[in-house]
Amino acid sequence: MTDENDLAQISTGQQFVGARVVQPNDPVRPRLFVLRRHVDVSGVSGTGVIADGAEWPDGTASIRWRGEHPKIDFADRGMPTLHFVHGHSGATDVEYLDQDVTGEAPTMDAPDALRRVIDIALGKPVRCPQCGRPGACRCIANRHDGRVELVLAAVLAYLARTGTTS
């Protein structure tokens, strides 16, 4: 039996981080990724590409583990949950497979397509300027400049593809 305090906690506050309702005709699609483990902290998954995943348009994510005992995990709170649970303080990175947006012309109107380009660029790992790790590290280095460079490069490539640069 649940008491009223439990129900109050459930009903208040944001339930899903970044969740949104995807309408039937929204021009969005899942973003595919893999989990790449550099250090096998648990001694179970191994190193290299250990799982395949999808970040869904509503902000949720799911992964399918590779190996002898495959299983599927769902993250209702999306990528922040996957990083928190499976990142192991930088031992595992998320690598998006559909980062190359140069392959096909955007089917969305320009503002949505540009937003997608920037979103993909923000999902790319930025190496620490001190130790060079692409994931979390113990350095207190600011990765802001690297992030800005990734976003600018993606925006410039988008502008060049769409012919909006002079």
Side-chain angles (χ1 to χ4, degrees):
M1 180 131 218
T2 56
D3 68 20
E4 283 187 39
N5 289 337
D6 291 336
L7 294 176
Q9 281 184 321
I10 292 171
S11 63
T12 61
Q14 188 175 8
Q15 296 298 310
F16 303 112
V17 176
R20 71 181 197 96
V21 175
V22 180
Q23 299 301 324
N25 292 323
D26 282 355
V28 293
R29 62 187 176 108
R31 291 179 68 190
L32 303 178
F33 64 88
V34 295
L35 292 183
R36 182 174 302 278
R37 184 148 297 156
H38 305 288
V39 178
D40 187 8
V41 177
S42 65
V44 175
S45 303
T47 58
V49 175
I50 58 168
D52 303 282
E55 182 180 12
W56 302 103
D58 66 357
T60 62
S62 59
I63 55 175
R64 169 87 173 157
W65 293 96
R66 295 179 176 192
E68 293 293 318
H69 303 284
K71 68 182 214 103
I72 297 175
D73 285 337
F74 297 100
D76 287 339
R77 294 187 178 183
M79 298 311 286
T81 296
L82 287 182
H83 285 288
F84 179 78
V85 173
H86 303 296
H88 296 294
S89 300
T92 305
D93 292 324
V94 172
E95 292 182 10
Y96 286 97
L97 301 176
D98 55 358
Q99 289 183 19
D100 181 19
V101 293
T102 61
E104 60 186 58
T107 56
M108 302 176 271
D109 59 37
D112 287 341
L114 183 56
R115 177 173 290 138
R116 180 75 175 145
V117 166
I118 292 170
D119 182 47
I120 289 170
L122 288 172
K124 290 184 177 182
V126 175
R127 294 196 173 276
C128 173
Q130 288 182 349
C131 70
R133 291 187 72 180
C137 64
R138 297 182 191 270
C139 301
I140 307 177
N142 188 340
R143 298 182 189 202
H144 177 78
D145 290 341
R147 177 76 53 219
V148 169
E149 291 302 317
L150 278 174
V151 171
L152 286 176
V155 169
L156 289 175
Y158 168 81
L159 294 174
R161 263 194 342 274
T162 58
T164 52
T165 59
S166 52

